[in-house]
Amino acid sequence: EAGVAQSPRYKIIEKRQSVAFWCNPISGHATLYWYQQILGQGPKLLIQFQNNGVVDDSQLPKDRFSAERLKGVDSTLKIQPAKLEDSAVYLCASSMTGVTDTQYFGPGTRLTVL
Amino acid sequence: QQQVKQSPQSLIVQKGGISIINCAYENTAFDYFPWYQQFPGKGPALLIAIRPDVSEKKEGRFTISFNKSAKQFSLHIMDSQPGDSATYFCAAHKAAGNKLTFGGGTRVLVKP
């Protein structure tokens, strides 16, 4: 079974630029999550989708971050404009249905904002 | 607001020794407690999980101990191996909101 795919793996941008990350979850997984993992900290949930609907985006900085999941499969996370404090690894995860089903994580995208 | 506190931040153990990582939570609404293992450059992977109606769960060399009254749980890695060197995260799930809250992580180094 193929795992969660993410791209790009690394991205370096200047502050105030925009950036987008892509995630392809495990086939058949209805729930998709985007997490932000700052160096030395645990993952923090940014947004959770159930199929193509948003379940929770309470910790998403909506003034600069946006996410979508078209057709309930792939998802993109965008930051515009980026700030220095956005430097982190952005992890995508998916699960079959609910949160207590195992969450499978992708390798993440390491973002550096200069 | 740190709802799950994890300690220590790092630990070094000799091969064959026992690694112990502790977590404490505040919200009694948490109903499921998984542990994740993360290697450098990889995403976290589920290691073992426990529900609060069970005091202990063992899978191979990994054991979770759960103390509901103290609102604490811990991961024990028995007979630690160099391949266990990784960062370990505890997490807690709350049915209301249906999401996981992670601890800050513990970097474990097993010396051969």
Side-chain angles (χ1 to χ4, degrees), chain A residues 9 33 35 37 40-43 45 48 55-56 58-59 91 98-100 102-107, chain B residues 9 31-32 36 38 41-46 51 89 93 97-105 107:
Chain A
R9 291 296 313 276
Y33 317 80
Y35 288 88
Q37 186 176 23
Q41 298 182 18
L45 181 68
Q48 177 183 341
V55 174
D56 184 344
S58 58
Q59 297 193 91
L91 294 163
V99 171
T100 53
T102 299
Q103 291 191 31
Y104 295 88
F105 284 81
Chain B
Q9 287 187 307
D31 62 355
Y32 171 72
Y36 281 81
Q38 185 176 29
K42 305 288 187 183
L46 179 66
R51 295 193 180 275
F89 294 95
H93 169 263
N98 201 32
K99 65 182 182 182
L100 289 175
T101 300
F102 283 83
R107 179 176 287 187

Side-chain angles (χ1 to χ4, degrees), chain B residues 6-8 11 18-23 33-37 47-50 57-59 61-66 72-78 80 84 86-90 106 108:
Chain B
Q6 185 171 345
S7 64
L11 69 92
I18 302 173
S19 303
I20 302 174
I21 306 169
N22 301 298
C23 282
F33 301 89
W35 284 88
Y36 281 81
Q37 180 187 53
L47 186 63
I48 186 172
I50 196 168
K57 183 174 181 180
K58 183 176 181 180
E59 289 185 2
R61 297 184 292 107
F62 301 91
T63 300
I64 301 178
S65 297
F66 189 86
Q72 294 176 349
F73 57 110
S74 60
L75 176 70
H76 290 62
I77 307 174
M78 312 300 288
S80 296
D84 297 331
T87 300
Y88 293 82
F89 294 95
C90 61
T106 298
V108 174

Side-chain angles (χ1 to χ4, degrees), chain A residues 1 9 12 14 36 41 55 60 68 71 78 89:
Chain A
E1 169 179 87
R9 291 296 313 276
I12 300 174
E14 300 280 336
Q36 180 191 57
Q41 298 182 18
V55 174
L60 187 74
E68 61 180 7
K71 300 181 181 179
K78 297 179 181 179
V89 174

Side-chain angles (χ1 to χ4, degrees), chain A residues 48-114:
Chain A
Q48 177 183 341
F49 292 93
Q50 182 82 15
N51 296 308
N52 60 349
V54 175
V55 174
D56 184 344
D57 63 357
S58 58
Q59 297 193 91
L60 187 74
K62 298 180 187 64
D63 58 334
R64 299 183 300 105
F65 286 64
S66 64
E68 61 180 7
R69 189 182 185 194
L70 299 176
K71 300 181 181 179
V73 182
D74 292 5
S75 177
T76 56
L77 176 70
K78 297 179 181 179
I79 307 175
Q80 182 179 5
K83 293 185 175 181
L84 295 177
E85 58 262 35
D86 298 332
S87 294
V89 174
Y90 291 85
L91 294 163
C92 179
S94 68
S95 67
M96 286 287 288
T97 50
V99 171
T100 53
D101 291 316
T102 299
Q103 291 191 31
Y104 295 88
F105 284 81
T109 297
R110 181 178 296 276
L111 173 67
T112 301
V113 182
L114 303 176

Side-chain angles (χ1 to χ4, degrees), chain A residues 1-5 24-29 94 104-105:
Chain A
E1 169 179 87
V4 176
N24 180 239
I26 293 173
S27 177
H29 281 194
S94 68
Y104 295 88
F105 284 81

